[in-house]
Amino acid sequence: MTTSHDRPKDATHFWTVVLPIQTLLLTAYVAPVYGFNALIQPINRIFSPGEEMTGWSGSIVGAILFLGIGLGALLLPQLKKIIPNPKFLLLVSSIFMNVGLALAALACWLDWFWLMIVGLSVLVGFFLSNFYSIVTFYFVSWGQHVGRVGLISGVVGLCFGIWAALYSFFAPLVFSATSTPVSFLLTIIFIVPTIIGIILLKYPEATNSSTTSQPSTPNLGIKGILGLTSFWLFFLFFLLFLTPGFGFKIIVQAMILEVYHSTQSVASIIAVAFLGSYGISRLIFGITADKLKLKLIFLIFCAVQCLALLGSGIAIHIFDGPLVIAVLMCITGAMFGAGKSLWTVLLVNMYGPVNYTHAIRAALPAYGLAGFFGPLTLAFALRSKDVVDSTSIWFFGAGIALFACFCLIWLLRVHDYEAYKNKRRQKIKLWISTTDERSWF
């Protein structure tokens, strides 16, 4: 970690511009995506008449959107060859994301579901993936530069939660006050803070737009990362860890309305509470991540989420009102959000600064698959004739998935580059050794 004696010359820029300002500006683009739960009802109203809360249309659009986010990261290197300047690539990506929103508005006006998929799912998903990858690299580079990767990851996570909560609360009001096409067009306003953030973009001086490399550490490349058993353990963990949270985040309002027959305002407040716990926990655990063992933190995330989900499966049969479920959902959201905030830091610890960007790109398809399966499986449960039983089964299945995540994190180790250099496979151990520095990270 950087001390006061060897603090970088441009550290002041980090504390005065990057951390407090650019984190808020460059995360504005996530508002309609992370707050997608507010779009389910308007999309269903047009494309699934009579099924505003349980229609497939909104769930399918959201699922394909997140699938596009995950898969789009794999194409980023090819796009960088065409547009090598990161500022210009961010600008192009932000413009195409808003073209996607404009096409979504047109799709609502013409009642063309395929155009909604092309605009909101494919275009927004693909270019948001590029935006996310570049912005993540930018913030982690600054975090490494000043020795505060956890802190900046936590602040970025908090900003994600803030934008998502704001959109979840205000979007239903806007959609009810105007037509759906106009509301989609008004969403384009989020390009304003994004553009300001792009203009202020400045990489750390010492890294010159790249992370600090360690000469003794081989650059594995994305193909090398994909050949590691440890990466596939992480990939499976990441997929299972995110799936329940994505289901909540996208379908939360529909679930509350369908299961408890609450009012739209109550459902919106619960959605905001879920996203608020999501954002606050990302900040808290981001701050502490620089001082604590990440493996221990993730074991706690998995265990608490597992218990909260299993508890939800029981509570849904016992309590008539949504209060207990809302509390358990907020606990799940806090653990889900904190894990999403620190997964890049986890990969930095596992593979080092030379290879973490390859690992992030390789892992993003798991992000997309979780965003695909989470909303669709929960939406399927809500369409059942016995919605309480089917949703309870979904909760229990999600709890089992988080127990599997606990086991997978237990197996993960810091990558053994010495073994790699000597062409030996790193052993997967069932026990954690206090003397093995690769056991805890």
Side-chain angles (χ1 to χ4, degrees):
M1 181 173 293
T2 305
T3 66
S4 58
H5 300 290
D6 56 357
R7 184 172 296 167
K9 294 180 180 179
D10 53 350
T12 301
H13 183 74
F14 171 83
W15 293 106
T16 58
V17 179
V18 177
L19 188 68
I21 299 174
Q22 284 201 273
T23 50
L24 192 62
L25 295 175
L26 285 174
T27 53
Y29 68 93
V30 307
V33 177
Y34 276 52
F36 192 86
N37 60 84
L39 300 179
I40 294 285
Q41 188 175 10
I43 292 174
N44 284 343
R45 189 180 298 130
I46 293 175
F47 300 107
S48 297
E51 296 181 313
E52 289 192 10
M53 295 287 53
T54 60
W56 279 111
S57 301
S59 300
I60 290 172
V61 171
I64 297 177
L65 167 62
F66 280 96
L67 184 63
I69 292 173
L71 298 179
L74 299 178
L75 300 177
L76 181 59
Q78 285 68 39
L79 197 58
K80 279 184 174 180
K81 293 178 182 178
I82 302 172
I83 309 175
N85 186 298
K87 272 193 176 185
F88 188 53
L89 183 53
L90 284 175
L91 180 62
V92 170
S93 296
S94 63
I95 290 173
F96 272 98
M97 281 191 287
N98 287 284
V99 169
L101 289 171
L103 290 178
L106 182 61
C108 293
W109 185 51
L110 298 174
D111 198 10
W112 289 356
F113 186 63
W114 66 268
L115 188 58
M116 173 65 72
I117 295 292
V118 170
L120 189 55
S121 296
V122 178
L123 269 182
V124 173
F126 175 77
F127 285 99
L128 187 141
S129 173
N130 295 327
F131 203 105
Y132 178 86
S133 298
I134 297 170
V135 166
T136 298
F137 172 74
Y138 170 76
F139 283 128
V140 172
S141 294
W142 269 107
Q144 289 180 321
H145 190 60
V146 300
R148 299 305 300 269
V149 177
L151 173 63
I152 195 165
S153 297
V155 173
V156 169
L158 174 65
C159 293
F160 281 160
I162 289 173
W163 287 114
L166 287 173
Y167 193 79
S168 294
F169 184 78
F170 287 107
L173 302 177
V174 175
F175 274 90
S176 62
T178 64
S179 66
T180 301
V182 171
S183 298
F184 271 112
L185 290 176
L186 290 174
T187 301
I188 295 176
I189 196 172
F190 287 100
I191 195 176
V192 176
T194 301
I195 295 297
I196 296 173
I198 294 172
I199 293 172
L200 294 175
L201 201 69
K202 175 187 175 184
Y203 281 92
E205 291 178 4
T207 60
N208 193 24
S209 303
S210 65
T211 53
T212 304
S213 54
Q214 297 175 352
S216 60
T217 303
N219 190 327
L220 302 178
I222 193 167
K223 290 183 179 179
I225 290 291
L226 291 174
L228 302 176
T229 302
S230 63
F231 169 76
W232 289 107
L233 289 175
F234 175 84
F235 187 93
L236 181 58
F237 152 76
F238 198 41
L239 171 60
L240 294 176
F241 184 85
L242 295 182
T243 298
F246 269 124
F248 277 149
K249 191 165 69 171
I250 296 180
I251 312 291
V252 54
Q253 292 194 37
M255 188 190 75
I256 296 300
L257 290 169
E258 188 65 20
V259 174
Y260 294 102
H261 306 291
S262 302
T263 63
Q264 181 65 57
S265 59
V266 170
S268 296
I269 291 171
I270 291 175
V272 170
F274 173 83
L275 293 167
S277 64
Y278 168 92
I280 293 171
S281 70
R282 294 185 77 161
L283 175 63
I284 293 173
F285 284 101
I287 293 172
T288 59
D290 290 317
K291 300 178 181 179
L292 300 178
K293 295 290 186 180
L294 278 179
K295 183 164 187 167
L296 177 60
I297 292 176
F298 271 93
L299 287 171
I300 293 172
F301 292 164
C302 295
V304 173
Q305 235 188 128
C306 175
L307 293 174
L309 288 164
L310 294 176
S312 297
I314 298 171
I316 199 171
H317 288 289
I318 299 175
F319 300 98
D320 294 329
L323 179 60
V324 174
I325 288 291
V327 172
L328 291 172
M329 281 173 54
C330 286
I331 293 172
T332 302
M335 299 297 98
F336 165 68
K340 276 191 67 184
S341 176
L342 299 180
W343 73 277
T344 54
V345 188
L346 185 66
L347 289 176
V348 171
N349 279 263
M350 285 181 63
Y351 297 110
V354 173
N355 292 298
Y356 85 93
T357 52
H358 306 310
I360 287 174
R361 284 203 350 259
L364 276 176
Y367 180 101
L369 289 170
F372 182 80
F373 288 116
L376 284 187
T377 52
L378 183 53
F380 181 78
L382 294 180
R383 290 175 64 88
S384 171
K385 291 183 179 179
D386 194 339
V387 66
V388 173
D389 282 344
S390 59
T391 305
S392 176
I393 291 171
W394 187 89
F395 281 131
F396 284 126
I400 293 171
L402 265 296
F403 176 75
C405 288
F406 183 94
C407 298
L408 290 167
I409 283 292
W410 184 270
L411 293 174
L412 288 180
R413 302 288 190 274
V414 174
H415 184 62
D416 188 347
Y417 283 105
E418 286 299 321
Y420 178 84
K421 289 177 183 178
N422 295 320
K423 298 183 179 180
R424 291 186 286 106
R425 282 189 173 273
Q426 185 171 359
K427 295 180 180 179
I428 304 300
K429 301 177 182 178
L430 293 177
W431 62 91
I432 292 181
S433 171
T434 55
T435 58
D436 183 1
E437 63 181 11
R438 296 183 181 88
S439 294
W440 294 99
F441 48 89

